[in-house]
Every structure is written in structure tokens, then in C-alpha cells.
Amino acid sequence: MGEFIAGLLIGLGVVGIAGGAYLTYLRWKSRTGARVRMLAKQYQAMTDSAGRDIPMELLAQPEFISSRMEFRKIEAIEAELTGEADRVVAQKLLKDFFKMDDPWVKARAAKALYPMDRKSAFAELKVLAQSNSPFVQIPGIWALGELGSESALELLMSLVWSKSPEVQQAVIRCLVQMETKQQIPPEYRPKVKRLLKELRYKTDWIL
Amino acid sequence: MPKKCLIVDDNPETVDIVSFILKKAGYEVLTAFDGEQGLNQAKGSLPDLILLDLMMPVMDGYTMNQHLKEDPATKNIPVIIMTAKGGMEPMFENTKGSPIQGYLVKPFSQKELLKRMDDLLGKA
């Protein structure tokens, strides 16, 4: 009799633990589902704005369709994880994009990371911008132009005499846009002005 | 008879260089350094084509373009926008009756400029 009661109690205990675990699983699943649905909704809402900072002529190319999906994720992280407590999560998620192959995705993630972790973001952009391939350099240059910081400006100016016309054009475009938007720090303005003047007369570019 | 081109840009160096390139290519060149000057030049000289910067003092290129299209005398003059800011083409596409014929984002090459102009003016 005693053995029967003990067995019954153990059985009930196992059922209780399993039931509790199942309920916890259902609760987690429901929360995750809601989170996924919310993010999906945000991605949908961001369709028009995703990658808005990337030059339109590049976005129009078919190979950018997959990148745009990643841009949406990055924008969702930027928009959603803004609180102090979320910053660690946001940094981790953004740094994960650095492992991807697409240099545009890396550059976009670095741009988003910059306000939270300047050192890591700039290091990633420096690697991109100083690559041997213009295909990799151009996204890095674009993001440096978006940062508009002194270190970004220094790096851009060091690349302005690149032998690749595409890279040179990208660097000049950044400098001209930074000048137009008055983003150049005052102490750098005369230097940039001189450089642009030199470029006007020494290259075939009209700027 | 050389084709007449009006350059409107607030940067004197850019105007200087583009003038040189166009003169060398056989164009007659007129210049202006803001939208208001450009509009007066366009109305007075009726050029065959206008190269127009967007960000300028006194009157910006967008406003100048609006005035051009309101005037029957200038509304059909083709305009090529030269700007530092990309992605603004839709602003002009949505403008009813806009004479915008081209959009060049700075920096662009001399070759690209001349090709665009020759295509528009049928010089080939």
C-alpha cells in the first residue's frame, strides 16, 4: 500500500513538472511569436524607408534585394533597441552583421553601431575602405561619409587620390555632400576646400 | 550656329571649368551664379539648354526650374540638374510639365556631361 502511494506521488510529481515545463514553453512561444509578428510588422512598415541612405542607383540593382532585407533588420534594431538596457543586445546583434559577406550590409551595420560603439564601428569601416577591392571599398566609403566625424574625414581624404575612378568618385561624392550639408568640422574646412579645388583642376571630375 | 548653353552654379570654379569644357566642345556659353540671375539670363537669352545646380543662394535651382516652366517662352528649354545630393529625382519627376531632362550627381565626368548634352541637343 505504502509503495503504491509513493509511486502515485512520484507519478503526480513527474506529471506536474512536465506540465509546468509545457506551460512555460507555451508562454515563451507565445511571447516569441508576438515579438516575431511585431518585428515582421515593423519590417513591413519600413519597406519604403529601408536602405534609404544607400544611393538609389545601387539599390535599383537586383543583387541589392537580399541586402535590403538585412538593411530592414538593421533598421529594426536601430528603431527598437534604443534604451540603455537594450544597447548591449543591439551592439551584439549589429556586430553579428560584420560576419556576413556583403560589404554593404557590413557598412550599414557599422553606421548603426557607431553611436553605441565608435571604436568597433570605425575599425570595421576602416577595413572596408582600405580593402584592395573597390567593390568592398565603396560601401565603407559611403558609411564614412554618413558618419561625418573627424576620423572618418581623415580616412576619406587619404583615399581621394585612389587609382580606381569608382573609389575616387565615391570619396569626392562624400566630401562634396559633407561640404554641402556643412558637416565638415570648422578646423578641417580650409583643408577640404583646398583639396576640392585641387580635384577640380587636376582631375576630370566636375564637382 | 553653335548651341547656346546656360550654366547656373554658385561655385565660380565649377562654372569656370564647365565653361571651358563646353567652349572647347563648340558651345556658346552663358553663366549665372544664383537662381535669380539664371532666370533673368534664361528669359533674356533663351538658351538651347540649361545646366542647373540645386543648392544656391538667393534662389535655388528647384525654384528657378518652377519659374522656367511657368513661362511659355522658357518652359521647353531642356534642363540638366547638377547636384551634390542624389535621390532627389522624384521631386522633379512629379512636377507637372517640368522641363528637367537629366540629372547628374556630383562628381560626374566631363565625358558623361558632354554625352548627355549631345544626346539632348542632337549633336551626337
Side-chain angles (χ1 to χ4, degrees):
Chain A
M1 187 63 182
E3 281 175 2
F4 172 74
I5 291 170
L8 190 68
L9 286 175
I10 290 167
L12 284 173
V14 169
V15 169
I17 290 166
Y22 182 63
L23 284 174
T24 310
Y25 166 72
L26 284 180
R27 213 170 148 195
W28 172 80
K29 195 179 167 191
S30 146
R31 267 193 197 166
T32 311
R35 173 91 180 145
V36 168
R37 279 194 296 279
M38 187 188 71
L39 280 174
K41 228 175 182 177
Q42 283 177 347
Y43 293 162
Q44 186 63 40
M46 285 174 183
T47 306
D48 291 333
S49 66
R52 60 178 175 264
D53 297 320
I54 310 289
M56 291 306 288
E57 64 268 27
L58 283 166
L59 278 179
Q61 293 170 15
E63 59 267 34
F64 271 85
I65 292 169
S66 63
S67 302
R68 291 191 76 173
M69 199 60 214
E70 303 306 321
F71 296 158
R72 286 178 208 167
K73 291 178 192 169
I74 295 167
E75 290 212 349
I77 294 166
E78 270 183 322
E80 189 63 20
L81 304 173
T82 51
E84 198 58 44
D86 297 327
R87 286 169 83 93
V88 179
V89 180
Q91 286 179 43
K92 191 201 164 303
L93 291 174
L94 289 170
K95 281 179 188 171
D96 281 347
F97 286 99
F98 292 169
K99 294 171 196 157
M100 298 188 78
D101 290 331
D102 187 333
W104 278 103
V105 172
K106 289 182 184 187
R108 182 66 186 83
K111 186 197 163 197
L113 180 66
Y114 189 74
M116 293 173 262
D117 182 353
R118 291 181 172 210
K119 204 176 160 188
S120 305
F122 186 75
E124 184 64 27
L125 291 178
K126 196 173 175 181
V127 171
L128 292 176
Q130 292 181 333
S131 156
N132 290 325
S133 157
F135 172 75
V136 178
Q137 281 182 285
I138 289 170
I141 289 164
W142 162 79
L144 288 167
E146 291 291 312
L147 301 187
S149 66
E150 284 181 16
S151 45
L153 188 59
E154 290 272 5
L155 185 50
L156 286 171
M157 288 195 293
S158 74
L159 296 166
V160 85
W161 298 108
S162 165
K163 283 177 184 164
S164 154
E166 292 83 8
V167 169
Q168 189 176 51
Q169 186 180 26
V171 174
I172 297 172
R173 186 160 291 171
C174 286
L175 295 175
V176 171
Q177 287 189 0
M178 284 169 82
E179 200 198 29
T180 308
K181 291 186 206 165
Q182 298 185 324
Q183 281 178 335
I184 294 172
E187 62 273 29
Y188 282 84
R189 279 179 206 156
K191 198 175 171 184
V192 173
K193 230 178 174 64
R194 270 200 308 276
L195 184 60
L196 292 177
K197 189 172 184 169
E198 204 180 339
L199 285 160
R200 278 190 185 98
Y201 287 102
K202 286 188 179 172
T203 68
D204 278 348
W205 297 113
I206 295 167
L207 56 144
Chain B
M1 180 99 173
K3 297 277 185 186
K4 213 187 301 176
C5 177
L6 170 63
I7 306 164
V8 190
D9 194 312
D10 64 327
N11 189 311
E13 288 161 12
T14 303
V15 172
D16 187 26
I17 289 164
V18 176
S19 297
F20 176 76
I21 295 164
L22 297 190
K23 280 177 188 166
K24 220 170 103 183
Y27 287 94
E28 184 186 333
V29 177
L30 306 165
T31 58
F33 297 92
D34 63 56
E36 202 173 278
Q37 271 184 24
L39 193 61
N40 292 334
Q41 281 266 32
K43 286 182 177 182
S45 314
L46 297 175
D48 296 295
L49 185 130
I50 300 172
L51 293 176
L52 180 60
D53 184 24
L54 280 186
M55 303 269 287
M56 288 184 294
V58 189
M59 182 192 287
D60 62 63
Y62 183 76
T63 312
M64 180 184 152
N65 179 54
Q66 296 275 27
H67 287 300
L68 284 173
K69 81 174 178 71
E70 282 163 10
D71 187 336
T74 55
K75 72 174 185 184
N76 291 321
I77 300 174
V79 175
I80 296 178
I81 296 288
M82 312 185 290
T83 179
K85 186 92 184 99
M88 290 174 80
E89 295 93 327
M91 270 177 72
F92 294 95
E93 282 163 11
N94 296 333
T95 313
K96 202 181 166 193
S98 168
I100 291 296
Q101 303 282 325
Y103 197 94
L104 292 167
V105 181
K106 292 175 184 175
F108 50 86
S109 66
Q110 297 179 16
K111 204 174 148 189
E112 201 181 348
L113 172 68
L114 290 173
K115 188 184 177 309
R116 196 68 68 89
M117 291 180 63
D118 288 353
D119 287 349
L120 274 176
L121 297 172
K123 276 183 80 179

